[in-house]
Amino acid sequence: MTAVRALLREAAQRLGEAGEAEWLLMHVLGKPRSWLIAHADEAVDPDVQTAFAALLERRAAGEPLAYVLGKQGFWSLDLDVTPATLIPRADTERLVELALERLPADAPCRVADLGTGSGAVALAIARERPRAQVLATDVSAAALEVARRNAARLGLRNVAFAEGDWLAPLAGAGGFELIVSNPPYIEAGDPHLTQGDLRFEPAGALVAGTDGLDAIRRIVAGARAHLVPGGWLLFEHGWTQGEAARALLQAAGYAQVFTARDLEQRERVSGGRR
């Protein structure tokens, strides 16, 4: 039988990444990294080696690590992810930060998250604002099932889920203090769609027409009717789309229109107030 150290060395050589090899073996063993270090010379059971080899094969073929592990960290949450959902990314935490700045810390409020996917944004807000009632929507039943599972595992009971296209599930739901979304915003035909992790992620959650703004147009046009007076709409977009996002918000009659930058100083989130 092969020892932990040798197994990791061989996997790291194949992947060109020692850290990913460790993550895969930790996942199969259900052990932390400290265990791998302390038991580096311990032989690995053949069944574990077989399971590890299967995951290694998937990752070597380019499948995103998050899908191989079925997990991704976001905000303070450990989320289940599947190929039915986008992989939550650190850039989207900026959307959560801006949302929390506009929500009371100790008073009831209502929030809608459009296109929730794994539930990342909705659940982060629900965790930080326990008195908020959050409605998470998605057109994908498979994505909503992942989001529901995440909410249940995290014990977040202030989140409800509704299936439907963008604003449709909000009909008759009353007014919201905040509507947030991380919609698709990549242009059809963008060469990045055939590269890296994007090859494996759901196209419907990535692509939004020839200029990448189709979903944002629909959200901006329809969200205002579902906001209470003074309520905010916030959404993520591509780093070249800030000017277009502000123009859409201004044309739709929003006030206090702005664009915020991410950690790399790229325009990332725009919003406006009813």
Side-chain angles (χ1 to χ4, degrees), residues 62-138:
E63 186 175 349
L65 183 64
Y67 288 160
V68 176
L69 299 176
K71 298 284 184 182
Q72 178 70 15
F74 179 83
W75 198 254
S76 61
L77 311 174
D78 186 27
L79 300 172
D80 290 351
V81 294
T82 76
T85 71
L86 284 183
I87 300 168
R89 291 171 169 82
D91 285 342
T92 305
E93 293 185 355
R94 186 70 176 120
L95 178 61
V96 175
E97 292 171 353
L98 293 163
L100 295 176
E101 289 174 6
R102 289 160 175 80
L103 293 172
D106 56 358
C109 58
R110 302 185 73 229
V111 179
D113 175 29
L114 310 180
T116 197
S118 65
V121 173
L123 299 180
I125 291 172
R127 166 69 66 81
E128 300 296 335
R129 295 292 184 267
R131 298 194 67 186
Q133 292 298 316
V134 182
L135 176 62
T137 79
D138 206 292

Side-chain angles (χ1 to χ4, degrees), residues 78-80 118-119 123 145-155:
D78 186 27
L79 300 172
D80 290 351
S118 65
L123 299 180
E145 180 55 36
V146 176
R148 285 191 183 97
R149 186 165 68 242
N150 281 324
R153 182 171 47 78
L154 294 166

